[in-house]
Amino acid sequence: MSNDDRIPVTVLSGYLGAGKTTMVNHLLANPGDRRIAVILNDMGEVNVDAELVARENDEEGIVDLSNGCICCRLQDDLLSEAAALAESREFDYLLVESSGISEPIPIARAFTEGTEDSEVDPTERFRLDTMVTVLDTYGFWKEFDAGESLPGDGEPAADRPLADVLVEGIEFCDVLVLNKTDMVPDDVLDEIESVADRLGPRAKRIRTSYSEVDSDDVLDTGRFDFETAKRSPGWKRAIAESEGEGHDEEAAGHAHDHDEGAAAAHGVDSFVYRSADALDPEPFADWLDDWDGAVVRAKGVANVAGTDEVIGVSQAGPSVQAGPIGEWSPDDDRRTRLVFIGSEMDEARIRRELDDLATTDPDAIESAEAFPL
């Protein structure tokens, strides 16, 4: 795919139990003509995934990074181990399995820019080729089905709610593997895929039952480009289009057209709410916490009375975060801009409720103590 002689890298992300380790074993058993080395990350003291992979594969070249996460605490170790592998063993492809709560963007940045505390320059030996997210479609269905709960999986870390992990993985990937499709009804699976297309429109989507993918679909794809990936989430695209900005599909990395027919059939849509009126902070905070199940993703900024700070809003299903992300400058267009992506959303009701949250006397509100949520 490229004349670049550096070792290409594929990073697998996805929540606990999504099927990442199963995919690693499948790729090692079906590598094509590649010699693959593997780095496996686990938050626990014992990396069970590394033991499973090593048990099924006799070759050396499997590195265990345990008791931490490669998107933050173990970033330097990730680069050091990758460099040590390149020194000690001949291989022509590196496969990295991140922990179940890892954020993909910091991992991508580590491979493309290095880290502040590491002397390893990853760009000398490695080229980030593909970011893959393995999505547990059954888990996604239950997590975003209001009133339902996902049995048997426990809770993720308090600072990484499950809904956030699922949505962020879809928004920042080159290939989305919708796994465990045998556990989800066909109509629900079609709806999930339509939602995924709205959240991450540039990703190639593959349906699997046991993480069985063709190696050429996730290795040596040449699909990764950091700047394009950062611009590609559906909520950013929706804001740009709603504000009349030119949308360069090639620059945005569109791999395919929206399947508008399938999306419409399941009521999957997106819209942007925009208002210059300041929002009353406490009622707005209460409104954000009252999730009805229709909104899968809400993202943007809010103009909240009682503060000169920009209130950033990030909602993924039942998980919501809102708080200061900077200050309005005198030249800023000081208005609320929120993107909503979901299924069977009542757009008119959401707009009406937000309009009703506008305060008639913003100067009378002394502070916005309701934030951060």
Side-chain angles (χ1 to χ4, degrees), residues 229-252:
K230 287 191 296 184
R231 295 195 303 269
S232 66
W235 67 269
K236 288 187 178 181
R237 182 174 181 268
I239 284 183
E241 291 180 346
S242 74
E243 296 183 348
E245 298 178 11
H247 183 65
D248 183 343
E249 291 207 357
E250 182 177 354

Side-chain angles (χ1 to χ4, degrees), residues 141-197:
W141 175 30
K142 292 304 181 184
E143 178 67 13
F144 289 91
D145 186 2
E148 295 290 335
S149 60
L150 181 61
D153 268 345
E155 292 294 324
D159 58 343
R160 293 287 290 147
L162 172 55
D164 287 352
V165 176
L166 295 173
V167 167
E168 289 177 12
I170 295 172
E171 288 179 333
F172 191 87
C173 69
D174 304 302
V175 179
L176 177 65
V177 177
L178 295 103
N179 196 32
K180 301 187 181 181
T181 55
D182 56 317
M183 300 175 65
V184 179
D186 289 344
D187 60 332
V188 174
L189 184 58
D190 290 340
E191 181 178 351
I192 291 172
E193 188 161 1
S194 295
V195 169
D197 184 61

Side-chain angles (χ1 to χ4, degrees), residues 10 22 26 33 61 86 89 108 110 116 128 140 144 164 179 228 252 279 295 326 358:
T10 286
T22 302
H26 174 73
D33 58 357
R89 181 178 183 271
E116 184 176 338
L128 187 53
F140 187 92
F144 289 91
D164 287 352
N179 196 32
T228 298
L279 299 173
V295 176

Side-chain angles (χ1 to χ4, degrees), residues 37 123 240 289 321 339:
T123 63
D289 269 336
Q321 300 176 57
V339 179

Side-chain angles (χ1 to χ4, degrees), residues 24-358:
V24 169
N25 279 321
H26 174 73
L27 292 172
L28 289 176
N30 303 275
D33 58 357
R34 306 173 186 89
R35 295 167 298 174
I36 301 176
V38 181
I39 296 177
L40 299 115
N41 176 220
D42 194 283
M43 286 297 294
E45 293 183 11
V46 177
N47 193 335
V48 176
D49 288 345
E51 292 185 359
L52 291 173
V53 172
R55 190 177 302 127
E56 294 195 20
N57 300 276
D58 295 331
E59 286 189 70
E60 296 179 0
I62 299 171
V63 174
D64 166 10
L65 286 178
S66 300
N67 206 21
C69 184
I70 57 175
C71 75
C72 47
R73 175 177 166 185
L74 298 184
Q75 272 192 349
D76 297 340
D77 290 349
L78 170 64
L79 298 184
S80 297
E81 292 293 352
L85 263 176
E87 289 283 353
S88 63
R89 181 178 183 271
E90 288 190 9
F91 61 97
D92 48 35
Y93 210 95
L94 179 61
L95 184 61
V96 178
E97 178 192 330
S98 66
S99 75
I101 59 171
S102 291
E103 299 175 53
I105 292 178
I107 300 172
R109 183 172 286 116
F111 269 109
T112 55
E113 300 175 3
T115 64
E116 184 176 338
D117 297 327
S118 175
E119 297 180 359
V120 175
D121 180 357
T123 63
E124 291 182 353
R125 282 198 176 98
F126 298 98
R127 167 180 59 83
L128 187 53
D129 180 85
T130 314
M131 297 292 295
V132 177
T133 292
V134 184
L135 180 68
D136 175 353
T137 52
Y138 177 74
F140 187 92
W141 175 30
K142 292 304 181 184
E143 178 67 13
F144 289 91
D145 186 2
E148 295 290 335
S149 60
L150 181 61
D153 268 345
E155 292 294 324
D159 58 343
R160 293 287 290 147
L162 172 55
D164 287 352
V165 176
L166 295 173
V167 167
E168 289 177 12
I170 295 172
E171 288 179 333
F172 191 87
C173 69
D174 304 302
V175 179
L176 177 65
V177 177
L178 295 103
N179 196 32
K180 301 187 181 181
T181 55
D182 56 317
M183 300 175 65
V184 179
D186 289 344
D187 60 332
V188 174
L189 184 58
D190 290 340
E191 181 178 351
I192 291 172
E193 188 161 1
S194 295
V195 169
D197 184 61
R198 293 284 181 177
L199 293 172
R202 65 178 287 272
K204 176 179 180 178
R205 298 190 302 275
I206 303 170
R207 294 186 180 188
T208 66
S209 294
Y210 298 97
S211 298
E212 294 182 356
V213 297
D214 188 314
S215 61
D216 290 339
D217 285 333
V218 294
L219 307 178
D220 282 323
T221 71
R223 296 178 65 92
F224 181 78
D225 178 86
F226 201 9
E227 293 306 315
T228 298
K230 287 191 296 184
R231 295 195 303 269
S232 66
W235 67 269
K236 288 187 178 181
R237 182 174 181 268
I239 284 183
E241 291 180 346
S242 74
E243 296 183 348
E245 298 178 11
H247 183 65
D248 183 343
E249 291 207 357
E250 182 177 354
H254 245 343
H256 56 276
D257 294 328
H258 282 293
D259 186 349
E260 298 293 351
H266 296 286
V268 175
D269 203 357
S270 63
F271 69 91
V272 178
Y273 174 83
R274 186 182 292 103
S275 175
D277 296 329
L279 299 173
D280 197 331
E282 290 191 11
F284 180 48
D286 291 340
W287 184 86
L288 287 173
D289 269 336
D290 186 19
W291 179 67
D292 66 2
V295 176
V296 174
R297 182 63 153 156
K299 186 86 171 182
V301 297
N303 175 21
V304 174
T307 180
D308 287 324
E309 292 179 305
V310 182
I311 301 300
V313 176
S314 179
Q315 181 175 8
S319 168
V320 60
Q321 300 176 57
I325 58 172
E327 288 196 358
W328 298 104
S329 73
D331 298 328
D332 282 339
D333 179 8
R334 187 166 177 162
R335 66 176 62 204
T336 296
R337 295 187 298 278
L338 295 172
V339 179
F340 293 89
I341 299 172
S343 178
E344 303 293 348
M345 293 184 296
D346 187 341
E347 179 180 344
R349 176 182 61 79
I350 292 172
R351 289 184 179 277
R352 183 175 62 253
E353 289 176 351
L354 284 169
D355 287 342
D356 290 345
L357 294 176

